[in-house]
């Protein structure tokens, strides 16, 4: 068994260090520990020692530090985004961060230094308490003893370590340490951040994103619309190290009420990013109108070619132009609690509801037979037979994800199994295969070719809560290695045949979108900021990204 050697803490703080390590391992201890004392007593030095060891790869799980967010000058948004990025989740507010961590049962330890110097110290103290209510989360907070923030934390009954008390210092080791050291080692340095003009796109894209966030949080000026765009996309802006990627993200989050002169400099700054912006819509837009939260997306084909279908929180399914987002119609009736959409070649639109049952409607593009044709052909069409086959199948298995091509209709369930029925055998029992450990959270599919016997060949992609994307062609064994995988769940998938070959887009629970082009094997990334709810890939190569308050169409460069 490999063990990790921990160096002694500086300044004779062995008793304090031992107590912190014991607190981390004590399941009955309070979930929050307040490290306090007077200014300059060594709080940051002690936490620097803990973080240095707790972030090493071989550190035992009970002593591991998973996130560190220095709070000096920070507001609530900046701190929440910083923690969310480190913990692999998407959160725009404290309650969202707590909700995201509540479903993630891994042990998590968070260190929050300099609470007394935060811009919203009392709100951040309440945020720390909110997170500490989760049984698998531990919070270590540093605050000066005389600060209002420390008093607010004390109301939440944390474990308290006041470094002004003699019990936390070994006098002999302190004397030995002082003989060889002149200065303590801080947890972080506080270099003064250069002033940033919040009205200038170039300055905010090149500036320190945490500093820019704090300034926008405390500002009452809208700065031409830059403030609203920054706060809408904030977590992605903290993640992106390149100013060109930040400029693209800001451009995507910019509403139509913003100063139109901002688009030109942002577009120029984004010229070196992986993408160009085709169009975007954010909540409140009226030219064209905002189509609502994109909880589900599907690219139209054949009868619905050139369109994208989007379902909102009320189940209203709108049909918009893929190249401009202008409305071109909607389904006659809402599809309540839609969690996945798919379009069939004749324009029929299918949806999976919250209960995992399949519903469908004809879009305005469907042409119904009339006259003699209707009398001669009054039986169910192959499309209707296919829908009936899958509906009957899902009556026994609750669906979770849905996709369709010109030749195939597929659904997946919470047990990790994918079910596929084909249009050339619409009444045959669906093919099934188990691909994931846990729920399948997203599906996408491509029609590839035709076999020697004339049977169409389709390729299914499935994404799971296990963080894997698998590939499977119905009627054949699934490919063993995952197409791609990450340590976060998949939230959305999209696939399309384009002029440059097949493409696959993957949305992850931490807000990242990956765009895989198999020819020539390129992977592009994009982060919108809000959680990615849905994706759609169009035949001309564009990618539509759906969020709660943003809908963005991107074109790979």
């Amino acid at each position: 068994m490999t063990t990790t050697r921990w160096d002694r803490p500086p300044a004779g703080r062995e008793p304090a260090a031992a107590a912190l390590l014991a607190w981390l391992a004590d399941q009955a201890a309070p979930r929050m520990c307040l490290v306090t004392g007077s200014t300059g007593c060594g709080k940051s030095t002690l936490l620097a020692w803990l973080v240095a060891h707790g972030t090493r790869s071989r550190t035992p799980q009970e002593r591991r530090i998973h996130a560190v967010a220095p709070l000096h000058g920070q507001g609530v948004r900046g701190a929440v985004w910083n923690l969310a990025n480190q913990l692999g989740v998407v959160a725009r507010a404290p309650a969202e961060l707590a909700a995201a961590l509540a479903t993630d049962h891994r042990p998590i330890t968070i260190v929050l230094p300099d609470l007394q110097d935060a811009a919203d110290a009392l709100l951040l103290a309440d945020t720390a308490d909110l997170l500490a209510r989760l049984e698998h989360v531990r919070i270590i907070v540093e605050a000066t003893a005389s600060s209002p923030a420390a008093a607010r934390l004390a109301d939440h009954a944390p474990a308290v370590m006041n470094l002004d008390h003699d019990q936390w210092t070994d006098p002999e080791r302190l004397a030995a340490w002082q003989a060889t050291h002149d200065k303590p080692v801080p947890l972080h340095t506080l270099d003064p951040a250069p002033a940033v003009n919040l009205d200038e796109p170039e300055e905010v894209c090149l500036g320190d994103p945490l500093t820019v966030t704090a300034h926008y949080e405390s500002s009452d000026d809208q700065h031409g619309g830059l403030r609203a765009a920054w706060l809408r996309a904030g977590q992605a802006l903290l993640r992106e190290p390149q100013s060109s990627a930040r400029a693209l993200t800001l451009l995507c989050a910019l509403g139509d009420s913003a100063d139109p002169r901002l688009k030109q400099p942002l577009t120029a700054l984004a010229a070196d990013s992986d993408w160009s912006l085709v169009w975007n819509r954010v909540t409140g837009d009226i030219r064209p109108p905002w189509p609502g939260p994109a909880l589900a997306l599907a690219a139209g084909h054949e009868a619905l070619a050139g369109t994208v279908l989007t379902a909102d929180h009320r189940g209203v399914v709108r049909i918009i132009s893929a190249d401009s987002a202008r409305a071109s119609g909607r389904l006659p009736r809402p599809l309540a609690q839609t969690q996945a959409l798919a379009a069939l070649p004749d324009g029929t639109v299918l949806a999976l509801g919250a209960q995992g049952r399949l519903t469908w409607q004809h879009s305005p593009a469907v042409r119904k037979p009339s006259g003699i044709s209707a009398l001669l052909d009054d039986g169910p069409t192959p499309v209707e037979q296919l829908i009936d086959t899958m509906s009957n199948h899902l009556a026994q298995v609750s669906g979770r994800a849905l996709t369709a091509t010109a030749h195939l209709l597929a659904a997946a369930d919470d047990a990790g199994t994918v079910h596929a029925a084909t249009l050339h055998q619409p009444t045959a029992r669906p093919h099934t295969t188990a691909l994931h450990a846990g729920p399948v959270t997203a599906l996408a599919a491509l029609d590839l070719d035709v076999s020697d016997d004339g049977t169409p060949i389709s390729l299914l992609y499935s994404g799971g809560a296990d963080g894997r994307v698998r590939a499977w062609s119905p009627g054949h064994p699934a490919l063993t290695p995952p197409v791609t995988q990450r340590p976060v769940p998949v939230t959305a998938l999209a696939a399309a045949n384009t002029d440059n070959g097949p493409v696959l887009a993957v949305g992850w629970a931490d807000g990242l979108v990956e765009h895989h082009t198999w020819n020539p094997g390129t992977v592009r990334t994009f982060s919108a900021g809000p959680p990615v709810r849905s994706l759609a890939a169009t035949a001309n190569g564009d990618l539509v990204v759906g969020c709660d308050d943003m809908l963005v169409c991107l074109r790979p460069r």
Side-chain angles (χ1 to χ4, degrees):
M1 177 179 177
T2 302
T3 58
T4 303
R5 181 180 180 275
W6 286 54
D7 298 329
R8 290 185 178 279
R13 293 298 189 184
E14 282 84 354
L20 277 178
L21 296 179
W23 172 80
L24 285 171
D26 185 358
Q27 295 302 312
R31 313 311 293 175
M32 186 193 306
C33 178
L34 171 61
V35 178
T36 187
S38 57
T39 301
C41 71
K43 302 183 296 295
S44 292
T45 303
L46 176 63
L47 292 184
W49 168 86
L50 181 68
V51 170
H53 287 280
T55 52
R56 297 193 302 188
S57 60
R58 293 184 178 180
T59 299
Q61 180 61 46
E62 68 272 12
R63 294 182 177 180
R64 180 171 292 280
I65 304 300
H66 301 91
V68 183
L71 299 178
H72 183 91
Q74 291 305 304
V76 174
R77 284 188 180 93
V80 167
W81 296 340
N82 194 359
L83 290 173
N85 277 337
Q86 293 180 64
L87 296 172
V89 298
V90 179
R92 292 163 291 184
E96 287 191 7
L97 180 59
L101 297 185
T103 61
D104 183 349
H105 299 295
R106 57 183 170 160
I108 294 173
T109 300
I110 297 169
V111 177
L112 300 175
D114 300 326
L115 177 61
Q116 73 282 342
D117 296 324
D120 296 312
L122 298 183
L123 289 176
L124 283 166
D126 293 339
T127 299
D129 173 64
L130 179 65
L131 298 179
R133 295 178 189 178
L134 302 173
E135 290 186 1
H136 58 291
V137 176
R138 289 178 179 269
I139 308 287
I140 302 174
V141 188
E142 174 200 349
T144 303
S146 59
S147 66
R152 175 68 66 89
L153 285 174
D155 292 340
H156 301 306
V160 178
M161 177 180 289
N162 189 325
L163 294 184
D164 290 336
H165 297 170
D166 292 341
Q167 71 192 83
W168 304 121
T169 307
D170 183 322
E172 294 182 3
R173 293 199 177 277
L174 173 61
W177 183 85
Q178 289 175 331
T180 56
H181 293 77
D182 296 326
K183 297 180 180 179
V185 182
L187 180 59
H188 58 96
T189 57
L190 297 175
D191 297 327
V196 177
N197 185 341
L198 300 180
D199 296 314
E200 290 296 330
E202 183 173 7
E203 289 199 32
V204 298
C205 290
L206 290 171
D208 172 64
L210 279 171
T211 301
V212 174
T213 298
H215 289 333
Y216 275 137
E217 277 193 277
S218 60
S219 176
D220 294 327
D221 192 325
Q222 289 303 310
H223 302 281
L226 278 176
R227 179 181 183 272
W230 185 281
L231 297 182
R232 180 177 291 119
Q235 187 175 336
L237 296 164
L238 265 61
R239 170 189 284 160
E240 293 291 356
Q242 301 297 326
S243 59
S244 59
R246 291 179 193 162
L248 174 71
T249 300
L250 266 183
L251 193 61
C252 292
L254 207 63
D256 65 8
S257 62
D259 187 335
R261 293 172 295 180
L262 293 172
K263 290 187 176 180
Q264 182 176 354
L266 284 172
T267 300
L269 287 166
D272 292 334
S273 67
D274 286 344
W275 306 89
S276 59
L277 176 64
V278 180
W279 50 260
N280 73 311
R281 298 291 174 265
V282 303
T283 179
D285 279 359
I286 57 175
R287 301 185 304 271
W290 159 240
L295 301 189
L297 288 172
H301 53 106
E302 298 198 18
L304 289 170
T307 68
V308 174
L309 296 95
T310 173
D312 67 14
H313 59 296
R314 297 172 299 175
V316 176
V317 177
R318 294 175 174 84
I319 305 170
I320 62 175
S321 167
D323 59 9
S324 68
R326 293 191 178 278
S328 61
R330 67 169 66 183
L331 295 191
R333 303 180 307 279
L335 299 172
Q337 297 180 305
T338 299
Q339 59 178 338
L341 278 180
L344 291 174
D346 70 343
T348 301
V349 178
L350 303 103
L352 270 182
Q355 303 303 317
R357 298 294 178 258
L358 189 64
T359 58
W360 61 278
Q361 286 186 48
H362 289 308
S363 74
V366 174
R367 295 182 178 179
K368 299 179 181 179
S370 60
I372 295 176
S373 296
L375 292 174
L376 295 176
D377 188 14
D378 61 352
T381 67
V383 166
E384 291 170 341
Q385 291 176 327
L386 183 68
I387 294 172
D388 285 343
T389 296
M390 187 58 73
S391 295
N392 293 333
H393 189 70
L394 292 179
Q396 281 75 45
V397 179
S398 179
R400 175 72 177 264
L402 183 71
T403 192
T405 70
H407 303 294
L408 171 142
L409 173 60
D413 60 35
D414 282 334
T417 302
V418 179
H419 314 262
T422 58
L423 196 56
H424 74 283
Q425 291 182 320
T427 60
R429 182 178 178 84
H431 300 274
T432 64
T433 187
L435 296 177
H436 296 271
V440 179
T441 52
L443 285 176
L446 296 169
D447 288 329
L448 295 181
D449 207 342
V450 177
S451 65
D452 294 338
D453 63 359
T455 303
I457 299 174
S458 300
L459 181 64
L460 268 167
Y461 293 103
S462 62
D466 57 5
R468 296 181 175 184
V469 177
R470 301 287 304 276
W472 171 53
S473 182
H476 300 82
L479 298 179
T480 301
V483 174
T484 186
Q485 61 181 340
R486 296 182 64 226
V488 294
V490 177
T491 60
L493 287 176
N497 287 309
T498 73
D499 292 340
N500 294 321
V503 299
L504 171 69
V506 186
W508 302 93
D510 62 354
L512 181 69
V513 175
E514 290 182 332
H515 182 268
H516 298 257
T517 305
W518 303 132
N519 254 338
T522 302
V523 180
R524 296 174 178 85
T525 61
F526 172 72
S527 294
V532 175
R533 305 297 188 191
S534 53
L535 296 170
T538 67
N540 70 348
D542 292 347
L543 176 66
V544 182
V545 181
C547 305
D548 290 338
D549 51 4
M550 294 172 60
L551 187 63
V552 178
C553 183
L554 301 169
R555 182 165 295 158
R557 293 189 188 277

